[in-house]
Amino acid sequence: MTVRPRLVVVGGPAGRRVAFFQDALRSAGLPGARVVSWPDVLGGRARFAAGETVRLDSPGEDPEADRLLRGVDDPARVEGSGRWYTRFTAAVTELSEAVVEAGASLVDDPGELAVLFDKRLCHGRLRAAGVPVPESPTSGPAAPAVGGWTDLRSLLDTAGLRRMFVKLAHGSSASGVLAVETNGAGRFQATTSVERGPDGRLFNSLRVRRYTSEREVAAIVDALAPDGLHVERWLPKATQDGRAADLRVVVIDGRATHAVVRTSRSPMTNLHLGGARGDLAAARAAIAAAGGRWEDALGVCERAAAAFPGTRCVGVDLLPSTGWRRFAVGEVNAFGDLLPRLTGLPGSGAEGLDTYAAQVAAQFPDAYPGVPDTGPLGTDPTDPTDPIAPTVPRPTHAIPRTTGTSTT
């Protein structure tokens, strides 16, 4: 007799992520998952039962969860990611203990989740594993903390960095990211979506702007620093149609299954900041023309995922260098699978399956019916939207909120 799985998903009950996962279960002929909300977890109200399998998904589509985790009432505010991380990792630890005590099982390793949501620790683990990453003076647990602009300037001088990304250690969706440049003669400028209010508070804006004085850049860095900062060399990216290009590659159970090109006229490729889906076929052709192999590019992503063996699915941000000759990993995202309508790469074993269906198929290989491949690129060409959708609902005002849903 076939034993039907008893699944639980911890996420946003009304969010797209939970809906896509439930759709994947139904397509496989499996029973729907019981849904536990993050506010229930954070409030100590979540309960689990023996024999259940518990999947954690992002809290990012739940405004109440965001308020509880970050401790700010305005969802457009940048500040609070440090508090988010402390509360989120504590909640995951307590949840994990409750799951074990109940006789249930957790799909992913909570310890790895804590590393994935700290860009400094994640970068250090990747570097130790031999994965190519941008140079960083804040990489690893022993790296110096950045207390503000004075500390940052000292680090930049020591490392000899003139173009760098300054990121919130626990940020996501480009929240708080600054692309900083200096001419070495004391002049600085920063490209960012951060908007600084008259009172010094920081907000996420839909408009990418440039600050051209050290005083302005320093004020933003000083305001961000209490939440923790990560710094890394700004690598010159490959281009496609005159736009900077990178890739999001999903790796499931150690195998790269889905990939999409992201392009932008700014240093950030996020959709809500003007990013758009690129041409995967053209990217593969550019790699081949440069004397490289697409399989090697995917192999870099698989090596990055292998640094987190207890995590079933990750989204890897792959940075192709100018000319598409070399690759580095920018970040590894714990919840990097929200790619609507994107189907699997040829030969990946996920042909015809979106990222959620591919995860269900990997976990329950006997239950999922075969689905024919829908196209050579693993994408739906009729979809007018960028599959790299924000991990939050579309904003209803000029400033989107930050969520901490991924390390993107």
Side-chain angles (χ1 to χ4, degrees), residues 17 55 57 248 250 313 315 334-340 355-356 359:
R17 293 172 175 273
R55 167 191 169 93
D57 214 325
R248 166 65 59 83
V250 175
C313 174
F335 301 132
D337 53 2
L338 185 60
L339 310 175
T355 58
Y356 290 89
Q359 290 173 73

Side-chain angles (χ1 to χ4, degrees), residues 123-151:
H123 191 283
R125 180 173 293 195
L126 293 173
R127 185 183 60 182
V131 177
V133 290
E135 177 188 352
S136 169
T138 58
S139 176
V146 180
W149 178 247
T150 301
D151 288 348

Side-chain angles (χ1 to χ4, degrees), residues 83-100:
R83 185 182 296 111
W84 184 99
Y85 179 78
T86 298
R87 293 178 176 177
F88 178 71
T89 53
V92 170
T93 298
E94 293 174 5
L95 181 151
S96 175
E97 293 171 351
V99 166
V100 172

Side-chain angles (χ1 to χ4, degrees), residues 32-46:
R34 180 169 70 88
V35 181
V36 174
S37 74
W38 277 108
D40 280 347
V41 171
L42 295 167
R45 299 182 296 274

Side-chain angles (χ1 to χ4, degrees), residues 75-243:
R77 289 282 297 280
V78 175
E79 297 91 338
S81 61
R83 185 182 296 111
W84 184 99
Y85 179 78
T86 298
R87 293 178 176 177
F88 178 71
T89 53
V92 170
T93 298
E94 293 174 5
L95 181 151
S96 175
E97 293 171 351
V99 166
V100 172
E101 184 177 352
S105 61
L106 197 59
V107 172
D108 293 320
D109 185 328
E112 290 187 357
L113 199 62
V115 175
L116 287 163
F117 273 102
D118 187 318
K119 298 182 195 302
R120 301 163 300 191
L121 298 180
C122 182
H123 191 283
R125 180 173 293 195
L126 293 173
R127 185 183 60 182
V131 177
V133 290
E135 177 188 352
S136 169
T138 58
S139 176
V146 180
W149 178 247
T150 301
D151 288 348
L152 179 60
R153 279 212 61 171
S154 176
L155 280 178
L156 300 182
D157 290 342
T158 301
L161 295 179
R162 293 196 175 186
R163 300 177 80 242
M164 75 294 301
F165 278 100
V166 180
K167 304 178 179 181
L168 286 169
H170 316 296
S172 67
S173 301
S175 176
V177 172
L178 292 89
V180 180
E181 300 172 88
T182 177
N183 63 2
R187 298 195 61 178
F188 288 84
Q189 68 177 21
T191 303
T192 180
S193 62
V194 173
E195 178 180 345
R196 188 169 181 263
D199 58 358
R201 295 190 303 168
L202 305 181
F203 296 88
N204 285 305
S205 170
L206 291 176
R207 182 171 70 86
V208 175
R209 66 199 67 218
R210 182 171 294 175
Y211 295 94
T212 57
S213 76
E214 182 177 353
R215 178 183 58 81
E216 292 175 307
V217 177
I220 295 174
V221 170
D222 285 342
L224 293 173
D227 281 314
L229 293 177
H230 174 61
V231 182
E232 61 187 32
R233 184 180 294 277
W234 177 356
L235 300 178
K237 284 184 182 178
T239 60
Q240 188 173 97
D241 297 328
R243 297 164 64 94

Side-chain angles (χ1 to χ4, degrees), residues 294-349:
W294 170 243
E295 293 77 11
D296 293 338
L298 295 183
V300 172
C301 300
E302 292 174 348
R303 286 165 54 197
F308 301 92
T311 304
R312 163 153 269 146
C313 174
V314 295
V316 179
D317 290 344
L318 187 66
L319 312 178
S321 68
T322 302
W324 298 91
R325 293 182 181 85
R326 294 180 299 277
F327 297 88
V329 171
E331 297 178 8
V332 180
N333 305 277
F335 301 132
D337 53 2
L338 185 60
L339 310 175
R341 299 190 182 184
L342 184 72
T343 52
L345 295 164
S348 68

